Amino acid sequence: MSGLPRFNPYINGESVPPATGQYFETVNPYTAKVWAEVARCDASDANAAVEAAWKAFTTGDWPKINATGRGALLRKLGDLIAENAQELAEYEVRDNGKLINEMLVQCKYIPQWFYYYGGLADKIEGSVIPIDKAEMFNFTRHEPLGVILCITPWNSPLLLLAFKLAPALAAGNTVVIKPSEFTSTSTLKLMELVEKAGFPRGVVNVVTGFGAEVGSALVDHAKVAKVCFTGGTESGAMVYQAAAKGLKGCTLELGGKSPNIVFDDAVIDDAVKGAISGIFAATGQTCIAGSRLLVQDGIYDEFVAKLVEFAKTARMGNPMDTATQVGPVTTPPQYQKILSYIDVAKKEGAQCLLGGGPASGPETGDSPWFVQPTIFGGVTNTMRIAQEEVFGPVLSIIRFKTDEEAVEIANDIAFGLAAGIWTQSIKRALKVSAAVRAGTVWVNTYRSLSYMSPFGGYKKSGLGRENGIESIREFLQTKSVWISTANDVPNPFVMR
Ligand code: NDP
């Protein structure tokens, strides 16, 4: 035993050691030190979790709790998350190195998902169909799917889980969660609150470990009805293929290379802040990063000069320090990936205007995983640095002349998660937001999200929508019930 805190999977309402008896280390990206050990689960733990969730779905207390009762449980969980937001945020920061400022804002906001979907739980109404057949009564019921598998990534573990967990439970499903191997601890802490809220055993389960080992065993499990995945496009495509083999539903929230478009009538200082928040907030490790900055010719030089000056002031440092603005990269593979893209950009001929390499110094502490906020100018949209997701603090600036050209460049990409538009013209804002092929468009703002507003991707950025009223439909299936009111049964050889 190492003496480090140990985190076990949470299966059927209990924290149990993994079948393998093995644990892996979880590292604090700022101290570069191992701070805890997490269970390395295998297919047998995956099976136990799914069986527990299936049992809870079909028998026991959960199916007996009515929709209003489910809503009350969700709201209770929301209250408990609000009370424990600081502690949960600190677990997230220890695991992913993102700023306490950001994770605390997220953890304080997460209860809203449980209040909103808790309120929606008893408003899932079927309809009576004014059916065209004589002496027949027909109505619909919207029923839960069964066991929902939630696979979450390392950048915002609890927030991205809330997108899935709250509507899945509100609809009456049971859940198995597989967090990223890099950030399992906050999800396991959340299970203490799930238990305290009074959810019956087996309704929510967590299996930890590696995607290829335990994640794929969960996706393949015959009793999983649907997979809700947030992560990279490659892993998402693998999960989608595996789910398709079992004819399971899939919601995928994947990568992005979002255009942030600054027109020459924009309020320049606002747009500079918008560009900064699009790429350097969260150290660029966000699917909605505005990593392609499109700037109109007339303001290009002035805008880029101001942007570089502003970016130079970004304070790197300890993510637990509330004055820090840019923290370390979360994982060593991600750090390597970011540096390799910086290399690619330089080789492609992009002009490095700021940063362009690893960062070190007293502010980076013991972490070997800081990258300088990096800005490339002179990028063309065919370069790899303009087309591929870096998921780090690396901005590519592309110059454009006309509105049509901006839209063409914005859409000339495999992704379609989000886009930003900076303009004072309402006509331009409406025209361009309609023309850009992305699931979310922000005008004169960036990175705004709410439990109320649908979120998801066009093209390779994903399938389905999270958040908002419509996302509860992703967790329901419709049953049509026919009741004959006729006094006799008609000719059985003819369709009625
Ligand atoms: P992944 O997409 O591989 O990980 C996301 C989640 O999927 C993790 O829980 C992971 O588990 C799990 N997973 C991976 N493979 C499988 C599988 N075959 N079956 C089931 N589950 C699986 O992210 P990476 O950490 O590898 O990052 C790769 C790239 O993805 C990043 O560089 C970034 O570009 C993008 N990304 C996008 C995110 C987003 O918000 N859309 C979030 C994170 C990354 P495990 O961690 O144990 O492998």
Side-chain angles (χ1 to χ4, degrees), residues 67 120-130 137-143 472-473 476-481:
L120 208 51
D122 58 5
K123 291 157 199 76
I124 300 167
E125 296 171 348
S127 32
V128 174
I129 313 288
F137 182 66
N138 178 237
F139 66 97
T140 56
R141 292 165 51 85
H142 299 293
E143 299 183 343
I472 197 131
R473 294 267 179 224
L476 292 163
Q477 50 196 339
T478 305
K479 179 180 280 175
S480 174
V481 182

Side-chain angles (χ1 to χ4, degrees), residues 151-155 160 178-181 209-212 215-216 219 229-232 235 238-239 253-255 287 334 337 389 391:
I151 300 180
T152 52
W154 41 262
N155 52 343
L160 296 169
K178 155 61 184 90
S180 162
E181 84 210 36
F210 297 87
S216 54
V219 176
F229 174 95
T230 300
S235 301
M238 265 162 41
V239 164
E253 197 268 277
L254 307 174
C287 51
Q334 193 57 35
K337 179 177 168 185
E389 186 179 49
F391 220 68

Side-chain angles (χ1 to χ4, degrees), residues 274-294:
I276 295 278
S277 93
I279 192 65
F280 299 128
T283 317
Q285 298 175 114
T286 147
C287 51
I288 50 180
S291 48
R292 280 189 305 153
L293 183 70
L294 278 52

Side-chain angles (χ1 to χ4, degrees), residues 122-471:
D122 58 5
K123 291 157 199 76
I124 300 167
E125 296 171 348
S127 32
V128 174
I129 313 288
I131 206 76
D132 58 319
K133 315 274 175 188
E135 299 187 294
M136 197 68 88
F137 182 66
N138 178 237
F139 66 97
T140 56
R141 292 165 51 85
H142 299 293
E143 299 183 343
L145 300 169
V147 178
I148 306 294
L149 171 60
C150 303
I151 300 180
T152 52
W154 41 262
N155 52 343
S156 293
L158 289 181
L159 182 72
L160 296 169
L161 175 61
F163 286 16
K164 304 164 180 55
L165 182 62
L169 293 176
N173 300 283
T174 57
V175 173
V176 177
I177 303 162
K178 155 61 184 90
S180 162
E181 84 210 36
F182 297 105
T183 54
S184 304
T185 63
S186 57
T187 303
L188 290 165
K189 282 310 278 183
L190 181 72
M191 293 307 107
E192 293 173 13
L193 308 182
V194 165
E195 201 167 305
K196 209 166 162 188
F199 283 88
R201 291 159 78 93
V203 171
V204 187
N205 307 271
V206 181
V207 186
T208 55
F210 297 87
E213 287 174 16
V214 77
S216 54
L218 286 164
V219 176
D220 290 342
H221 200 292
K223 285 185 179 147
V224 166
K226 173 159 187 155
V227 186
C228 299
F229 174 95
T230 300
T233 303
E234 250 176 58
S235 301
M238 265 162 41
V239 164
Y240 192 33
Q241 281 175 10
K245 278 191 196 145
L247 296 176
K248 292 167 197 178
C250 234
T251 306
L252 302 170
E253 197 268 277
L254 307 174
K257 190 82 189 176
S258 299
N260 203 359
I261 311 169
V262 186
F263 289 99
D264 53 12
D265 66 343
V267 177
I268 293 208
D269 290 343
D270 290 354
V272 165
K273 285 190 197 154
I276 295 278
S277 93
I279 192 65
F280 299 128
T283 317
Q285 298 175 114
T286 147
C287 51
I288 50 180
S291 48
R292 280 189 305 153
L293 183 70
L294 278 52
V295 183
Q296 198 155 15
D297 204 28
I299 54 159
Y300 188 94
D301 293 338
E302 180 194 354
F303 184 86
V304 171
K306 281 194 164 177
L307 177 69
V308 171
E309 279 316 301
F310 197 118
K312 275 183 192 164
T313 68
R315 269 191 303 276
M316 283 185 274
N318 184 344
M320 285 304 291
D321 181 343
T322 53
T324 298
Q325 294 170 322
V326 179
V329 170
T330 299
T331 76
Q334 193 57 35
Y335 172 77
Q336 290 305 337
K337 179 177 168 185
I338 296 168
L339 291 185
S340 74
Y341 269 109
I342 289 176
D343 248 22
V344 165
K346 288 177 181 167
K347 285 191 186 123
E348 284 179 314
Q351 191 191 352
C352 188
L353 305 173
L354 183 72
S360 58
E363 68 280 10
T364 63
D366 292 327
S367 175
W369 304 308
F370 270 84
V371 175
Q372 295 170 334
T374 296
I375 299 179
F376 284 104
V379 174
T380 59
N381 200 44
T382 51
M383 291 181 179
R384 283 183 63 200
I385 197 65
Q387 290 289 321
E388 297 174 23
E389 186 179 49
V390 177
F391 220 68
V394 180
L395 181 65
S396 300
I397 311 182
I398 302 171
R399 189 191 288 259
F400 71 91
K401 286 202 167 75
T402 63
D403 292 28
E404 292 69 28
E405 194 192 355
V407 169
E408 197 181 310
I409 296 170
N411 287 338
D412 184 14
I413 190 96
F415 298 109
L417 193 58
I421 298 168
W422 298 86
T423 175
Q424 292 186 74
S425 156
I426 188 71
K427 278 190 199 167
R428 193 175 232 171
L430 286 170
K431 278 189 185 160
V432 177
S433 57
V436 170
R437 303 202 61 232
T440 296
V441 180
W442 292 291
V443 179
N444 296 333
T445 180
Y446 206 86
R447 281 189 95 217
S448 313
L449 275 178
S450 168
Y451 49 93
M452 294 183 185
S453 185
F455 177 69
Y458 280 33
K459 302 191 265 183
K460 286 196 176 163
S461 290
L463 279 180
R465 289 294 175 269
E466 299 189 302
N467 306 336
I469 292 178
E470 71 179 75
S471 99

